[in-house]
Amino acid sequence: LGDEADRVRDLLLPLAYAQGTGLPWEDIWPALARALTGHPCTSRDLDWLIDVAGYYITESTTDDGRRSTYRLFHEALAEHLRGQREDVSRDQTVIVDTLAGHAPRLADGHPDWGRAHPYARVHLAQHAVGTPRLDELAADPRFLLTASPPQLLSALPSATSPTTRATADAYARAAGRLRTSLPCHHPAYLQLAARCGRAPLLADSVNSSRMPLSWVTDWASWRLQPPHVTFTGHTGWVTAVAFGQLDGRPVAISGSNDNTVRVWDAATGTPIGDPFTGHISRVNAVAFGQLDGRPVAISGSDDHTMRVWDAATGTPVCGCLSRPETPVRPDSIDLASPVLGLAFDTCCRLVVSTELGLVALRFPSPGRSFPPQ
């Protein structure tokens, strides 16, 4: 790129901090480039960037498919660009201030988060992690009730101040009600959770925000329950749960009487992908592990089979191990009895508990093909 290399780096820098599917073009990308570098940037500059260095950028769409988003082609380039910055936390503070500054204002001068750019509503809390701005956002009930719950639930626990940690706990307690109740009741439920969760500053700020309240919680004397998030989606009893890591984030894996296996974001309770379907009877056991370098979920069922799934996609990744009197099923491991329990270790060994006893299966070493031995 010769003499243009510095200009390209300046224009690519906002993408090094992009969250989710990437930054929208509109007025977000140019505004962040100006704020981070101090140099002018318009849509014409981005047109030039696409022409001369578009191979560094990948285009996608938001989850709703309504707008294009842009991010760097490879995370290694993002790490390189961030590594050249003196203070990443300061950069994130600048990003938060810029996104918040673009939000329309209410009559009292506070941001109207309901009319803020969708990228800000979804990802502002993630950008604020590790900066003083997270405490400020957590103190604004209007922001808490407008921000995207999965991203907010992931960001709030990183706060270090006692007040914000109390706010995070109260918000987590209210999350289930916020998900299932009418929006007009959300401020009242948040205040109720704040009183019960011993977050008085948050409860008082709901009053001072002048949001309409379906009811007012003046005080509460409440037995403090451990904070938790309810995962909803199965249509039958949950009969098995396991825990693991997927793309660097903690996930829970569950099996159910509805014959399905589900993977959940453990921090937010959000389902990851669609249910894994294939079993024809209830799932009694699940396990999580690594096979050939990829994360897999393993499930056992009353239908006498075990299934091995790609944990990210739900695609079957295993051949068949069948007893002679049963037909070969290419996407399962068939045993002579209902599978009751599973244990999987780092050496690709799987111990299976059935009504008839225990059996140990050893999967091939990485690079070799299935089925297991």
Side-chain angles (χ1 to χ4, degrees):
L1 295 171
D3 294 339
E4 303 290 359
D6 288 342
R7 183 185 178 193
V8 169
R9 288 192 191 96
D10 285 350
L11 298 176
L12 290 177
L13 180 61
L15 300 189
Y17 292 101
Q19 297 288 332
T21 60
L23 284 180
W25 187 308
E26 304 164 29
D27 59 345
I28 299 297
W29 185 357
L32 292 180
R34 291 193 296 270
L36 288 170
T37 67
H39 298 152
C41 178
T42 66
S43 289
R44 288 190 176 183
D45 294 294
L46 300 187
D47 287 332
W48 173 85
L49 177 69
I50 297 297
D51 287 340
V52 303
Y55 42 81
Y56 285 128
I57 301 167
T58 180
E59 180 179 0
S60 185
T61 59
T62 53
D63 292 337
D64 59 12
R66 293 183 178 180
R67 55 176 54 84
S68 293
T69 55
Y70 301 85
R71 62 181 305 117
L72 296 178
F73 187 79
H74 200 284
E75 178 60 21
L77 179 56
E79 293 175 356
H80 169 71
L81 292 174
R82 293 194 299 265
Q84 294 183 323
R85 304 294 291 177
E86 293 182 0
D87 190 341
V88 170
S89 176
R90 178 188 172 279
D91 282 353
Q92 292 285 26
T93 301
V94 169
I95 291 171
V96 172
D97 291 345
T98 302
L99 293 175
H102 273 67
R105 300 286 141 172
L106 297 168
D108 60 6
H110 286 85
D112 184 353
W113 296 114
R115 294 192 295 143
H117 193 281
Y119 181 87
R121 295 200 303 270
V122 174
H123 298 296
L124 192 63
Q126 292 173 301
H127 284 294
V129 170
T131 77
R133 298 297 185 264
L134 184 59
D135 290 344
E136 298 171 14
L137 293 173
D140 184 350
R142 292 183 181 274
F143 175 76
L144 296 178
L145 294 176
T146 307
S148 175
Q151 286 77 11
L152 186 56
L153 282 166
S154 295
L156 285 177
S158 66
T160 56
S161 75
T163 299
T164 305
R165 293 194 67 84
T167 294
D169 178 56
Y171 181 83
R173 294 173 190 277
R177 292 294 187 184
L178 299 181
R179 187 167 56 244
T180 58
S181 65
L182 295 174
C184 61
H185 299 320
H186 289 182
Y189 272 124
L190 182 61
Q191 186 183 59
L192 174 62
R195 294 291 187 207
C196 295
R198 303 171 191 173
L201 294 180
L202 174 61
D204 292 341
S205 68
V206 173
N207 278 337
S208 62
S209 70
R210 299 187 178 182
M211 290 184 289
L213 291 168
S214 304
W215 65 87
V216 177
T217 306
D218 286 330
W219 59 270
S221 177
W222 200 261
R223 180 181 299 168
L224 199 60
Q225 300 292 323
H228 65 276
V229 177
T230 302
F231 299 2
T232 57
H234 282 299
T235 58
W237 290 1
V238 176
T239 52
V241 177
F243 194 74
Q245 292 273 337
L246 181 62
D247 296 332
R249 57 178 166 172
V251 296
I253 303 166
S254 58
S256 169
N257 275 9
D258 62 14
N259 305 349
T260 68
V261 176
R262 284 179 173 265
V263 179
W264 315 80
D265 186 310
T268 66
T270 306
I272 299 176
D274 296 324
F276 301 174
T277 58
H279 285 297
I280 58 175
S281 188
R282 69 178 181 182
V283 178
N284 295 321
V286 291
F288 189 90
Q290 294 276 336
L291 282 179
D292 206 7
R294 59 178 160 179
V296 294
I298 306 168
S299 57
S301 168
D302 265 358
D303 63 11
H304 298 194
T305 69
M306 290 182 303
R307 291 175 175 264
V308 183
W309 319 80
D310 185 307
T313 66
T315 306
V317 297
C318 187
C320 162
L321 180 65
S322 173
R323 62 187 192 278
E325 65 270 24
T326 61
V328 171
R329 299 178 61 179
D331 60 352
S332 66
I333 302 170
D334 203 340
L335 298 173
S337 177
V339 177
L340 304 179
L342 298 169
F344 191 70
D345 68 11
T346 57
C347 297
C348 297
R349 291 178 300 217
L350 180 69
V351 177
V352 186
S353 169
T354 77
E355 291 179 349
L356 299 179
L358 301 175
V359 62
L361 304 177
R362 177 169 52 83
F363 287 86
S365 58
R368 294 180 58 189
S369 61
F370 295 106
Q373 300 167 345

